[in-house]
C-alpha cells in the first residue's frame, strides 16, 4: 500500500446497485434506465489515498509529505474493475501454450500439432500443451490414435476451450496415469489430473511460472484490480508466496477452494473474507463446486436431451455432483462461514443448485447460469443468490447452442431477465475460456453478436451503465472510505450515442491510462 494523491480527475457516477451513468449523460444505448440522482462532482477533483483507502476527495488538495502524486489530466476515474471468475494459473499458461482455437476439425487440429512437432525437432524431454479446441460441432470427434499418428513419443495434451475436457496422446495418458482409451478425457476424470499437469509433464512448470507476471500485468493494463481465483491448485497455500516472494502483487485475489481442499481450509479456520497472508491483497473466497459439465463438451446437465444426443452416452449432460452430495457440501460451507461458487451451466444443474441453496441456507453464487428455466430465474433472485456470468461466452457459444440447444436458445444467458427479477449480476471472464478483459465482457453483455448477424436474444442485453456497474465488485462512485483502487480512462465509456453495436465497439477500444491498486501504480 502507498499514500498518493491523484490530481484532476472527473468522477464517473456509478450506483453500486448495478445502475450507473456518467454525470448528466445517457448511457451507450441512449437510455437513462436506473439512473440515480446526481451526486458525483461535475468539476475535476483530487483523490487522496491513505493506507490503501480513499480518505479525501476535493478540489486542489494540498500534497502531504511522503505522498506520491499522479497527474490525472482531467481523465475520467472509476473504481478498480473486478473479474468475478478466473482460473489465473490456466490463464497465465495460455501465453505459453500452442493455440489450436482455429481448428475446425480433427485433421486441422492434428496439422497444427504436426507443424509444432516439425518446428521443434530437438524437443525431447518436453511436452506439447495446446489450448482452445471446440469439438462439439465437428463431424468427427478427437481420438488418441489421431494424435499418436502425429507423435507417439512426445507427450501431447490439448485442452478444450471450456477446460472441461482434454485430448491426449498415449505418452501423455501414461505420464498422467490415465487408462488407455480412444476418446478424450472429460469432466471429473480430467479435473482430477488438471492440477498435476505441471508436476508430471516435462517443461510445463517453468513455462507456467513465467506466465504469471505477464498475465497480471495484462490485467492491470485493462483496469483490473481484483479477481476471484477459482484455480484447481491449492491457492491458499500458494498465493502468499506468489505475492511475497515472486512479486505477483498487482491484483487483489479472493482465493477459492474445491471440495478436495475443503478440510484444510476448515482446519485453518478460514471463512470467506478472512485475510490470507500479510499482504492485505489476499482473502479467502468461496468453496467452488462444479456440479455439471459445459455446452462445448456437451456435458452441461439439462432438463431436456441435447438435439444431437444420438451420438452421446449422456443425452441430458453430466451430473458431476449429485443433489444429496451437493446439499451436504453446501451445508458444511454454510456452517463454517464459507460462501459457495456453484458451477451450473445447464438448466437442470441450475435447478438442483437452487434446491441446495434453499435447503441449506448457504450463500454465494451460481457460476455461469448459462441456461435457466424461467421459474428458476425468479427463484435465484428471491433467494438472494448472485449470478456470476461471463458474457463473452455468448459470443463463443452462439453456434454450438443453435446446434445442441435449438429449442431453448431464448433462455440462454438471461441477463435482462435476471436483473428484472432483482438478481445481482457479477461479470467475469472464466479466463482462459475467454480473455481476462472486463471491457470485452461488458461489450458482449451490451451487444449480443460478435459478427454481422443480428444480436442473439437482444432483449436479454444490458445497458453500458449496467454492465459497468456489474464489473466493480459492488463499488459505486469513488468516495471516502472506499478501497484505494482507481482506474483512469482515456475515453468516456458512455460516450457512444448510437446503437448497441457502436457502444460495444467503444468498450472494446477502451484504453486505460493508469491503474492504481491500494494507492500504488500498477499500470500507467
Amino acid at each position: 500500500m502507498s499514500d498518493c494523491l491523484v490530481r484532476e480527475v472527473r468522477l464517473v457516477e456509478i450506483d453500486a446497485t448495478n445502475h450507473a451513468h456518467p454525470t448528466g449523460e445517457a448511457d451507450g444505448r441512449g437510455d437513462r434506465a436506473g439512473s440515480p440522482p446526481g451526486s458525483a462532482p461535475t468539476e475535476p477533483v483530487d483523490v487522496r489515498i491513505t493506507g490503501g483507502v480513499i480518505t479525501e476527495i476535493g478540489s486542489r488538495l494540498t500534497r502531504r509529505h511522503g505522498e506520491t502524486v499522479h497527474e490525472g489530466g482531467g481523465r475520467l476515474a472509476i473504481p478498480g474493475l473486478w473479474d468475478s471468475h478466473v482460473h489465473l494459473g490456466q490463464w497465465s499458461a495460455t501465453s505459453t501454450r500452442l493455440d489450436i482455437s482455429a481448428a475446425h476439425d480433427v485433421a486441422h487440429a492434428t496439422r497444427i500439432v504436426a507443424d509444432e512437432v516439425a518446428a521443434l525437432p530437438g524437443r525431447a524431454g518436453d511436452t506439447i500443451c495446446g489450448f482452445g479446441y471446440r469439438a462439439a460441432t465437428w463431424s468427427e470427434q478427437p481420438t488418441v490414435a489421431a494424435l499418436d499418428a502425429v507423435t507417439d513419443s512426445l507427450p501431447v495434451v490439448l485442452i478444450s476451450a471450456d477446460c472441461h475436457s482434454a485430448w491426449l496422446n498415449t505418452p501423455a495418458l501414461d505420464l498422467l496415469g490415465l487408462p488407455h482409451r480412444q476418446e478424450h478425457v472429460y469432466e471429473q476424470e480430467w479435473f482430477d489430473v488438471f492440477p498435476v499437469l505441471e508436476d508430471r509433464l516435462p517443461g510445463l512448470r517453468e513455462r507456467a511460472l513465467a506466465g504469471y507476471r505477464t498475465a497480471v500485468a495484462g490485467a492491470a493494463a485493462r483496469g483490473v484490480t481484483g479477481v476471484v481465483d477459482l484455480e484447481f491448485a491449492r491457492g491458499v497455500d500458494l498465493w502468499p508466496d506468489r505475492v511475497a516472494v515472486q512479486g505477483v502483487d498487482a491484483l487483489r485475489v479472493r482465493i477459492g477452494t474445491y471440495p478436495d481442499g475443503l478440510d484444510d481450509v476448515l482446519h485453518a479456520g478460514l471463512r470467506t473474507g478472512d485475510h490470507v497472508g500479510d499482504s492485505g491483497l489476499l482473502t479467502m473466497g468461496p468453496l467452488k463446486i462444479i456440479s455439471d459439465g459445459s455446452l462445448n463438451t456437451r456435458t452441461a446437465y439439462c432438463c431436456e436431451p441435447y438435439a444431437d444426443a444420438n451420438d452421446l452416452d449422456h443425452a441430458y449432460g453430466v451430473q458431476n455432483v449429485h443433489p444429496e452430495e451437493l446439499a451436504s457440501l453446501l451445508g458444511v460451507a454454510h456452517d463454517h462461514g464459507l460462501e459457495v461458487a456453484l458451477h451450473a451451466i445447464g438448466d437442470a444443474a441450475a435447478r438442483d443448485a437452487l434446491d441446495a441453496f434453499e435447503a441449506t441456507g448457504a450463500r454465494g453464487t451460481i457460476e455461469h447460469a448459462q441456461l435457466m428455466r424461467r421459474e428458476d430465474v425468479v427463484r435465484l433472485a428471491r433467494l438472494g443468490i448472485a449470478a456470476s456470468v461471463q458474457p463473452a461466452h455468448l459470443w463463443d457459444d452462439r453456434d454450438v447452442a443453435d446446434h445442441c440447444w435449438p429449442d431453448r436458445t431464448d433462455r440462454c444467458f438471461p441477463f435482462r431477465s435476471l436483473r428484472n427479477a432483482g438478481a445481482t449480476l457479477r461479470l467475469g471472464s472464466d479466463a482462459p475460456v475467454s480473455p481476462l478483459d472486463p471491457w470485452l465482457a461488458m461489450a458482449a453483455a451490451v451487444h449480443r453478436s460478435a459478427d454481422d448477424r443480428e444480436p442473439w436474444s437482444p432483449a436479454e442485453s444490458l445497458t453500458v451503465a449496467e454492465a459497468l456497474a456489474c464489473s466493480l465488485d459492488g463499488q459505486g462512485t469513488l468516495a471516502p472510505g472506499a478501497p484505494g483502487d482507481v482506474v483512469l480512462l482515456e475515453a468516456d465509456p458512455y460516450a457512444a450515442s448510437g446503437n448497441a453495436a457502436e457502444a460495444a465497439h467503444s468498450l472494446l477500444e477502451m484504453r486505460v491510462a493508469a491503474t492504481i491498486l491500494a494507492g500504488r501504480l500498477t499500470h500507467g
Side-chain angles (χ1 to χ4, degrees):
M1 296 180 185
S2 301
D3 295 345
C4 75
L5 189 64
V6 187
R7 290 194 188 277
E8 291 287 302
V9 296
R10 293 183 295 134
L11 304 188
V12 176
E13 188 167 288
I14 301 165
D15 183 353
T17 60
N18 289 348
H19 297 285
H21 67 92
T23 304
E25 296 187 19
D27 72 21
R29 289 179 60 205
D31 64 62
R32 295 286 299 276
S35 299
S39 59
T42 57
E43 299 298 321
V45 295
D46 300 339
V47 179
R48 170 165 282 129
I49 299 173
T50 307
V53 177
I54 296 175
T55 54
E56 190 176 3
I57 292 179
S59 177
R60 298 176 182 173
L61 299 179
T62 302
R63 178 187 180 183
R64 295 174 179 170
H65 178 72
E67 283 184 334
T68 300
V69 174
H70 301 298
E71 297 293 344
R75 293 179 177 88
L76 285 169
I78 62 173
L81 295 162
W82 273 73
D83 190 312
S84 68
H85 185 131
V86 303
H87 301 270
L88 202 54
Q90 296 304 314
W91 173 240
S92 300
T94 55
S95 63
T96 68
R97 287 176 176 161
L98 177 64
D99 183 4
I100 54 171
S101 60
H104 51 73
D105 57 23
V106 169
H108 189 188
T110 54
R111 282 199 304 273
I112 295 172
V113 175
D115 289 344
E116 180 76 355
V117 173
L120 299 163
R123 200 163 162 175
D126 204 345
T127 300
I128 290 177
C129 188
F131 176 78
Y133 75 93
R134 297 176 181 272
T137 59
W138 292 359
S139 59
E140 176 190 357
Q141 288 299 296
T143 64
V144 172
L147 281 184
D148 282 348
V150 176
T151 174
D152 60 1
S153 58
L154 195 67
V156 178
V157 177
L158 305 180
I159 302 169
S160 66
D162 58 14
C163 296
H164 277 249
S165 61
W167 179 10
L168 283 63
N169 69 351
T170 298
L173 289 170
D174 290 340
L175 284 173
L176 291 172
L178 294 169
H180 285 199
R181 85 286 303 284
Q182 279 303 310
E183 69 277 5
H184 62 188
V185 182
Y186 66 91
E187 296 307 329
Q188 195 58 52
E189 186 181 23
W190 170 237
F191 298 148
D192 288 342
V193 298
F194 210 161
V196 300
L197 291 182
E198 295 169 11
D199 295 328
R200 298 188 187 178
L201 298 178
L204 294 192
R205 178 167 298 281
E206 294 77 9
R207 281 179 259 166
L209 290 174
Y212 261 100
R213 288 189 182 88
T214 299
V216 170
R222 300 302 283 154
V224 177
T225 58
V227 300
V228 180
D229 186 24
L230 301 175
E231 189 57 82
F232 291 103
R234 302 287 179 93
V236 169
D237 299 329
L238 297 172
W239 265 111
D241 186 68
R242 285 189 192 127
V243 172
V245 178
Q246 299 173 19
V248 184
D249 61 354
L251 293 175
R252 300 184 189 273
V253 181
R254 292 192 188 123
I255 308 166
T257 186
Y258 284 78
D260 64 353
L262 180 58
D263 286 346
D264 292 342
V265 169
L266 298 182
H267 181 73
L270 289 170
R271 303 165 68 90
T272 296
D274 288 351
H275 285 286
V276 176
D278 302 321
S279 67
L281 298 176
L282 307 177
T283 52
M284 186 64 217
L287 169 65
K288 172 69 184 297
I289 303 169
I290 303 178
S291 72
D292 73 334
S294 74
L295 172 58
N296 278 279
T297 304
R298 296 187 294 175
T299 48
Y301 184 47
C302 299
C303 295
E304 292 85 28
Y306 283 64
D308 60 343
N310 290 340
D311 67 337
L312 294 176
D313 295 330
H314 38 77
Y316 290 81
V318 173
Q319 280 183 300
N320 290 320
V321 183
H322 287 273
E324 297 78 9
E325 183 183 359
L326 198 58
S328 176
L329 285 168
L330 265 64
V332 171
H334 179 58
D335 291 345
H336 291 85
L338 288 173
E339 293 184 358
V340 177
L342 184 43
H343 166 118
I345 287 183
D347 53 359
R351 175 201 63 203
D352 291 349
L354 291 174
D355 286 348
F357 274 116
E358 190 162 19
T360 61
R363 312 302 300 166
T365 59
I366 285 187
E367 300 293 322
H368 310 303
Q370 185 164 338
L371 177 68
M372 295 189 70
R373 303 185 303 169
R374 300 293 183 190
E375 58 267 35
D376 285 333
V377 168
V378 176
R379 186 159 62 125
L380 179 142
R382 175 174 59 81
L383 292 174
I385 305 303
S388 173
V389 299
Q390 300 75 41
H393 291 358
L394 71 87
W395 281 1
D396 295 330
D397 286 357
R398 180 173 186 167
D399 292 331
V400 70
D402 285 341
H403 177 78
C404 295
W405 295 342
D407 55 339
R408 65 204 86 163
T409 55
D410 61 313
R411 296 186 285 114
C412 288
F413 301 99
F415 304 151
R416 171 60 53 198
S417 295
L418 285 162
R419 280 188 53 80
N420 287 350
T424 296
L425 292 183
R426 301 175 186 173
L427 302 195
S429 65
D430 199 13
V433 182
S434 62
L436 204 173
D437 182 351
W439 303 103
L440 169 62
M442 287 184 256
V446 168
H447 182 53
R448 294 167 65 102
S449 177
D451 48 39
D452 293 335
R453 288 178 290 180
E454 289 298 311
W456 178 15
S457 300
E460 293 291 352
S461 63
L462 301 180
T463 67
V464 174
E466 292 165 339
L468 178 59
C470 294
S471 304
L472 298 174
D473 196 45
Q475 293 298 316
T477 303
L478 292 170
D485 304 343
V486 180
V487 176
L488 304 185
L489 304 177
E490 294 284 16
D492 184 348
Y494 305 100
S497 58
N499 59 26
E502 293 171 349
H505 178 75
S506 295
L507 292 170
L508 290 172
E509 296 296 314
M510 180 60 64
R511 292 181 57 224
V512 172
T515 303
I516 296 167
L517 173 70
R520 175 168 54 90
L521 193 70
T522 57
H523 167 75

